Amino acid sequence: MWIIFSLLSSVFAALMAVFIKFGLKDMNPILSMSLRTFIVSIFCIVSIFINKSYKMISSLTSRSILWIILASIVTFLTWLFYYLAISKGDVHKVMAVDRLSIVLSLILCVIFLHEKVSIYSIIGVILMLMGGLIIALL
């Protein structure tokens, strides 16, 4: 099931990038990002009530809250630089460089999460790195 969700995420990420570029034609990138975040927050709150996950709030630990805060800060910085990049560059080039996060994720997951990677994963990441750089630089 994870692969279906991943493919759907990929489709919506591509659509998101194009929609952002259209929306940035007449708008400041930071204002656009802020409005998007507000709207996304509304959808998140609604989904919390739809699936009744609000009942789990009391089970959060201070450790998990810390990681959520850190992830939120990083998410903000990701979106900020993403919007600034899309406002200045071609969407396909920005997306190619942005997806190089896959390379960094693999490295960080091995170091911090001790995930095992196969030689095929390493070859795939090298090819992604090369492809992303070729798309972005040519």
Side-chain angles (χ1 to χ4, degrees), residues 94-105 125 128-133 136:
V94 171
M95 290 290 287
V97 174
D98 179 70
R99 295 305 172 223
L100 293 179
S101 63
I102 296 167
V103 176
L104 297 173
S105 294
V125 163
M128 290 175 133
L129 179 61
M130 292 175 8
L133 292 175

Side-chain angles (χ1 to χ4, degrees), residues 7-132:
L7 289 169
L8 288 170
S9 175
S10 175
V11 168
F12 289 120
L15 287 170
M16 176 191 66
V18 172
F19 294 167
I20 289 170
K21 187 68 173 186
F22 279 131
L24 287 175
K25 287 189 191 275
D26 302 317
M27 189 182 293
N28 175 285
I30 296 172
L31 176 60
S32 176
M33 178 192 65
S34 300
L35 290 172
R36 172 187 169 217
T37 303
F38 177 74
I39 294 165
V40 168
S41 296
I42 292 169
F43 279 101
C44 287
I45 290 168
V46 168
S47 70
I48 286 170
F49 285 98
I50 288 173
N51 74 7
K52 298 182 173 104
S53 58
Y54 59 87
K55 295 177 181 179
M56 300 177 72
I57 290 176
S58 62
S59 67
L60 294 174
T61 65
S62 58
R63 180 181 164 104
S64 61
I65 291 171
L66 172 66
W67 287 115
I68 291 168
I69 291 169
L70 291 174
S72 299
I73 293 167
V74 172
T75 299
F76 165 75
L77 294 171
T78 300
W79 289 0
L80 174 65
F81 292 118
Y82 185 77
Y83 269 75
L84 292 173
I86 284 184
S87 73
K88 305 283 187 216
D90 294 333
V91 171
H92 74 281
K93 291 181 179 185
V94 171
M95 290 290 287
V97 174
D98 179 70
R99 295 305 172 223
L100 293 179
S101 63
I102 296 167
V103 176
L104 297 173
S105 294
L106 182 125
I107 294 167
L108 294 173
C109 288
V110 168
I111 293 170
F112 295 110
L113 301 175
H114 308 290
E115 291 185 2
K116 305 279 186 223
V117 293
S118 69
I119 188 68
Y120 299 111
S121 294
I122 293 169
I123 292 169
V125 163
I126 291 169
L127 291 172
M128 290 175 133
L129 179 61
M130 292 175 8

